[in-house]
Amino acid sequence: MMVSLRRLLATALVAATTLTMPSLALATDLTSGGGFLFDVQDAYGGYLSNGSIDAYDGCYYLSVGGTTYSPSGAGTLSADGRTVTLRVATLAGLQVQRFVYVPASGGDWARFADVLQNTSSTAITTTVRINGNLGSDSATRLMATSSGGASVSTNDAWFATDDTDGSGDPSLVHFLQGGPSSGALVNARAVSQVADNIEWTFDVTVPAGERVVFLTFALQGNSQASVQAEAARLMDMPDDAWTGLEDYETEIVNFPARTILTSCAGARVGARCDDGLFCTRLDRCTAAGTCVGTGDPCNDGNACTVDTCDEATDSCRNEMTPDRCLIGGECVAHGLPHPSYPCLYCDPDANAHDWTPRAEGTSCGAAACTAGRVIPEATCSATGRCIVPPSEPCAAGACADGASCASTCGDDCPGDSYCGPSGRCERPRANGSSCANDEQCSSGHCVDRICCNDACTGTCRSCGVADAVGRCTNVPAMTDPDLECAGGFCNGAGACSIPDAGVPATPDAGPRPDAGAPTPDAAVARDAALGIDAATPPEPPSDEGGGCSAQPGAERHAPSTILGLLLGLAVWARRRR
């Protein structure tokens, strides 16, 4: 088959790069007993570049947690010249390494062994993806699947592709798993073949201190009959398919274990066995000749669930914890704010699967003054928007500092009026209005950045409770908007409770995370340039799917977490003055 223009361009690019970068690692060529080439590339972690007669256009790339495996440095070749060992790279918190083996005789295939080692003290759940492009280009056809289907699916252990059977590019089989009925611990979540692009994905949890291994077989042949016959032979995982895997055969998860022993008498240490218990996994033979299970089959790796295993019923229970929200697949602690929108926070009692708006009037940004203009503090709306008021000119035309104007009124304000942020005399504000200090309020009490009917001291009391803004009220039960209850929540009667215990808890005197503080002056200037009204910021995006959108002015709603912690502490301290 004529080499594609894309292939020629890619080859020319590699040649040009090699001339300017002589240290670029080259391929390690492994040849099967039938003479088929498997050119293992050091760059991007052992993918096949061409194979024989343009079989591939870069295939069998490995990605873990969405990042391509691309270790630095060249791989090493085993003494017998049959295995390429790639270097270790850290992906998704795991130590990842690939081994590529091609037998000297027998089948014409390469076997990829991808090892994921978890050296941490907690389980790690991630995705493993294999993908690539085929040299048959637009002539690629799906020739067969192991399930007999007309298209590839997660039920398939392998699928075959070709351009023309018996001529052109080699006939290929892509062998990705044992299949859903094979007894393998992990089955593919998604498999696709679109023209000359192939891809499959696994979800896997690697227990703390353990490792798992994924196998992939890449078959080349002169005809579809030959590669499919070899694929059928590999379905039974014969001895030659296990060559060099002695140290890993108990940890392979997408193919069935080679042998599962019912007795460890005389077995080697680490051999796979079955201890007869549902609530263990990866059972192995010990030096004492006993079968011991390790790990927890019910651990879903999600901090939002309490995982229990019931041996009597051979079942798992994964129940939501009372102090967490599971939003867009992410576990969020009770009271923590949205990372980009300070007026939204996790309140599992209001909604354990989405963000909850903070009380209307809650501060979401301090006042700022720059270039002779002051921007009053930003406050939360009832719908969870951070409202940044428009800037005002300073009466004296200058700022006193970064937060307020130079004063022109001093002590000359009549009656009970006061000198406002702009440097002008202003009338005191009614209860429920936003405020920065006590003198701005007719009641003389600025609490939680809201003018309040009294000082509102004490635990689990607030002037920002919905339907009671401006009146000191007990915070509703099962909430804790100011994060005063360490490990608990307010009980609705002005005290803290520990979940499920019903006993008062000591308020946490340390800093607690709260809404962050944006920089409204810079945001308003930027928004003005973009034609956005600072007084009506955009609605926060939906968090279905866990994404956060990037949009003009988004930084106005995205203070750093550290600033949020400091502001939360300041609010907590002010309420106790």
Side-chain angles (χ1 to χ4, degrees), residues 462-477:
S462 174
C463 271
V465 175
D467 301 325
V469 176
R471 291 186 290 112
C472 185
T473 309
N474 289 335
V475 172

Side-chain angles (χ1 to χ4, degrees), residues 165-502:
D165 190 5
S167 63
D169 290 350
S171 299
L172 305 178
V173 161
H174 317 283
F175 209 132
L176 59 136
Q177 62 183 354
S181 61
S182 67
L185 294 176
V186 176
N187 194 64
R189 169 170 57 84
V191 185
S192 68
Q193 176 260 322
V194 180
D196 57 342
N197 296 297
I198 60 174
E199 178 176 317
W200 50 91
T201 305
F202 299 94
D203 293 327
V204 65
T205 296
V206 187
E210 296 191 22
R211 66 186 181 187
V212 300
V213 181
F214 286 87
L215 299 183
T216 304
F217 292 87
L219 285 66
Q220 298 184 54
N222 292 316
S223 67
Q224 279 296 310
S226 65
V227 291
Q228 291 184 41
E230 180 63 7
R233 188 182 75 88
L234 288 176
M235 284 289 290
D236 295 328
M237 291 296 287
D239 287 346
D240 59 313
W242 292 93
T243 300
L245 293 177
E246 291 79 12
D247 292 337
Y248 301 98
E249 62 183 33
T250 63
E251 297 153 331
I252 294 166
V253 292
N254 64 324
F255 282 84
R258 186 178 189 184
T259 304
I260 299 179
L261 303 174
T262 56
S263 171
C264 289
R268 70 176 182 83
V269 174
R272 186 75 182 272
C273 59
D274 183 2
D275 63 3
L277 299 176
F278 174 80
C279 292
T280 60
R281 64 181 300 277
L282 294 179
D283 305 339
R284 299 169 187 171
C285 292
T286 67
T290 57
C291 183
V292 176
T294 60
D296 179 1
C298 296
N299 183 2
D300 61 6
N302 192 329
C304 269
T305 59
V306 175
D307 309 319
T308 56
C309 183
D310 189 340
E311 192 68 52
T313 60
D314 288 355
S315 63
C316 294
R317 295 182 65 186
N318 307 99
E319 299 179 337
M320 284 285 294
T321 58
D323 60 345
R324 296 286 190 274
C325 297
L326 185 60
I327 305 175
E330 297 293 328
C331 187
V332 183
H334 187 189
L336 285 184
H338 188 293
S340 300
Y341 296 88
C343 292
L344 302 176
Y345 75 113
C346 163
D347 181 359
D349 300 300
N351 191 336
H353 299 283
D354 205 350
W355 299 99
T356 298
R358 292 193 181 276
E360 185 175 7
T362 301
S363 176
C364 55
C369 188
T370 182
R373 297 186 69 87
V374 65
I375 302 174
E377 70 164 344
T379 57
C380 297
S381 72
T383 58
R385 300 168 63 193
C386 186
I387 305 300
V388 181
S391 65
E392 303 173 10
C394 293
C399 297
D401 50 39
S404 61
C405 291
S407 175
T408 61
C409 45
D411 298 327
D412 299 330
C413 293
D416 59 353
S417 62
Y418 66 96
C419 193
S422 65
R424 299 182 179 92
C425 294
E426 298 181 12
R427 297 287 299 173
R429 304 177 187 181
N431 290 342
S433 303
S434 64
C435 57
N437 52 60
D438 290 343
E439 72 172 350
Q440 294 179 341
C441 302
S442 58
S443 65
H445 302 293
C446 181
V447 181
D448 295 337
R449 301 281 182 173
I450 299 170
C451 289
C452 191
N453 64 328
D454 66 29
C456 203
T457 57
T459 302
C460 291
R461 301 272 287 167
S462 174
C463 271
V465 175
D467 301 325
V469 176
R471 291 186 290 112
C472 185
T473 309
N474 289 335
V475 172
M478 306 295 287
T479 67
D480 186 12
D482 291 330
L483 299 181
E484 301 172 272
C485 303
F489 42 78
C490 298
N491 63 4
C496 292
S497 291
I498 299 297
D500 300 324

